[in-house]
Amino acid sequence: QDAGGSLHYHEIQAKIQAKKLFVFRRKDGTVHTDPKVMQKRVGTACLQSPLFVRTAYGRYAIAKEYLNGSNTQGAVSTSPLRDAIYRVLQDAGGSLQVKEIFARIRAKKLHVFRRKDGSVSTDLKRMRYCVSAACIKSPFFVQKK
């Protein structure tokens, strides 16, 4: 955000380390010191996240409107379910359990749950699982314990 434009993932990683925003760890919990591995992890995170758009090879910028899918070209569009979850949480003004999010999505008819063949799903357990999976996989939502 400080840069005001796009940055190469090497530059992003350098800023993360300089400001001590994140500690890169191995699977065993020890701290990573290899800059190439840390840069690769930053590049992968930028590439996979809808929060960022790729402006050139290895360069990323913050997506302008990542929630409504109108990013600049080449950006990953988000799911309508994720948008519905966001709207429910925004209206609630705080955290909710998955069953509460699911109930509000159904009550307000914010999302139509569909099967792989395109037909409308009526399996409540499966629909609630979809809400839960979307919450877990999305970088927009944080689980509170």
Side-chain angles (χ1 to χ4, degrees):
Q1 203 170 16
D2 297 342
S6 66
L7 294 173
H8 196 273
Y9 63 87
H10 295 140
E11 298 167 310
I12 297 170
Q13 184 265 332
K15 287 183 180 279
I16 289 171
Q17 276 197 299
K19 294 183 179 185
K20 298 179 180 171
L21 298 173
F22 184 79
V23 177
F24 294 88
R25 297 194 181 274
R26 294 182 181 94
K27 288 182 181 178
D28 64 2
T30 58
V31 177
H32 246 302
T33 55
D34 183 6
K36 289 200 182 275
V37 172
M38 292 186 282
Q39 289 167 0
K40 185 176 181 179
R41 289 174 83 188
V42 169
T44 301
C46 289
L47 187 63
Q48 293 177 349
S49 175
L51 295 171
F52 307 104
V53 289
R54 187 172 143 184
T55 57
Y57 183 77
R59 297 190 70 83
Y60 298 90
I62 295 173
K64 300 248 187 280
E65 298 175 20
Y66 54 85
L67 283 177
N68 63 11
S70 62
N71 291 344
T72 56
Q73 60 184 350
V76 179
S77 63
T78 62
S79 73
L81 177 56
R82 198 177 306 148
D83 292 345
I85 295 167
Y86 180 81
R87 286 182 55 195
V88 165
L89 291 172
Q90 196 173 33
D91 290 346
S95 63
L96 294 173
Q97 292 184 341
V98 170
K99 63 183 177 183
E100 295 170 318
I101 296 170
F102 173 62
R104 290 182 185 200
I105 288 172
R106 289 192 67 220
K108 294 181 180 181
K109 299 179 181 176
L110 296 174
H111 181 75
V112 177
F113 294 88
R114 297 198 179 274
R115 296 185 185 100
K116 288 183 180 179
D117 65 2
S119 61
V120 176
S121 177
T122 55
D123 183 1
L124 296 177
K125 187 176 178 181
R126 177 79 181 138
M127 292 187 294
R128 195 160 97 186
Y129 171 80
C130 289
V131 171
S132 177
C135 289
I136 291 168
K137 291 178 184 177
S138 174
F140 303 120
F141 311 118
V142 178
Q143 185 175 8
K144 290 178 92 175
K145 296 188 180 203

